[in-house]
Amino acid sequence: MTLRLCETILRRSLRFSAIRKLTAAPEQAPLDLRGSGCSVFGPQTVRKCLFHCTPASLVSSGTFLDRLQKGRAVLSDEGLCHHPVSVPSDSGHQFSLVLKDPDQPKNAKSLKVAIVGAPNAGKSTLTNQLLGRKLFAVSEKVHTTRSRAVGVLTQDDTQIILLDTPGLTTPIKAKRHHLEESLLVDPFESIKEADLVVVLVDVSDKWTRNKLDYEVLKCLALKPDVPVILVLNKVDLLKNKTLLLDITAQLTEGVVNGKIRIRGAEKPHQKLAAKPHSRHTEEPHSESMKDGASQEGQDKDRLSPEELKALKSRRGWPLFKDIFMLSSVDREDVETLKRYLFEGAKPGQWQYHSEVLTDQGPEEVCISTIREKLLQYLPKEVPYSMTQQIEIWKESEDGVLDISIKLYVKKDSHMKMVIGSGGHMITRITQEAENDLMKIFLREVRLKISAKLRK
Ligand SMILES: Nc1nc2c(ncn2[C@@H]2O[C@H](COP(=O)(O)OP(=O)(O)OP(=O)(O)O)[C@@H](O)[C@H]2O)c(=O)[nH]1
Ligand SMILES: [Mg+2]
């Protein structure tokens, strides 16, 4: 019943939108959706008003709704297809690979994509899924990613560079939780160098899903001329799928690409009417938004106090170029976004050799992999206070990579937890991290983790 309602709402609401096959050339006539209640714009309009409101390419096929009906997606990395390229386990080799001249093809294309959003939105999960490899740490706890990480996806003549960023936070929170400077700086820096920004929002979080994070808005306002898309993530966890339309309406302020008007079940402009800087769907958004934030093409590092104040009253961003609704743990969903990124790549030189998978060194990858397990298995704040030191990193005579890690723990109670009864916990963490590292380095790894109290 809910789904049927959702279907009706989605279909009706998509009247404004031209849906096309993602793989279709712009000149190709768009799919005729008249039979399913969706009107279709002419080809000339299609080019201007692309709006991908679906993880599947065609709403009319019902694929999107069928996929939504699946419910909870499978939370495993089993679906990740294994990219044949590995991260070299030798830091010297990895370093020279990152610096190696790219093997430019004749008609090279590239696209640098910054993935930003609130902590825990699923940025690293999406990056891994796009890469087809579990490379970056993912956990249910916030601030898993501590600094920007580069993932490189090279296929045929196209290179997509993915910038996985730490969840956006405020200086006050960073200070309170002793977070590194990189958590404040890296998302902004990544947006500055990106050709496309992906704003990821966790739709399963009812406290944050109806308003763009203020820090996200600040990022967008600093570079309003960079194309940006909205990705509504974790749709598999959303029981009431009809909410997707309301969320979209709120987060876009009813406007996509500065032009298309969206009306959700709850009309966003009614809620926003009292706010001084909110925009109604009737306003010409793109230009006024750029004036209100920073001037087009201007590369400012800071917003003025007036601009910051104006952002405080915003709920959304009217300049999203396109919108996706997906589940990052679902490979098929992410495949659609991946095709979109490849389509959006522009003629341009590759930055990395095609053998590069990340700019991170193997030690960095190892530490964040272990950190992921600590975050996953230890309660609350316990894993945040632990530090790691690499004691041994060498290839043994039998060709196996031997890694020995010392874990420094601040409290006796934390020590008990990380060891677990009969050493059960540390064994589990070691085995799982070892498994992941073997998949990343594509070689045998023997990992040893020992814990030491250091108050
Ligand atoms: N069910 C479901 N879970 C998801 C989805 N995407 C991410 N997750 C889960 O959400 C949690 C957070 O994912 P991360 O990828 O670590 O999130 P992040 O945005 O990188 O987090 P930070 O690095 O801490 O900012 C993990 O438990 C993921 O398994 C999704 O589409 N569906
Ligand atoms: Mg992350």
Side-chain angles (χ1 to χ4, degrees), residues 123-124 137 144-145 164-165:
K123 301 176 291 298
S124 304
T144 303
T145 307
D164 179 20
T165 64

Side-chain angles (χ1 to χ4, degrees), residues 120-125 127 136-139 143-146 164-167:
N120 231 28
K123 301 176 291 298
S124 304
T125 309
T127 311
F136 300 127
V138 163
S139 90
H143 301 310
T144 303
T145 307
R146 312 300 284 200
D164 179 20
T165 64

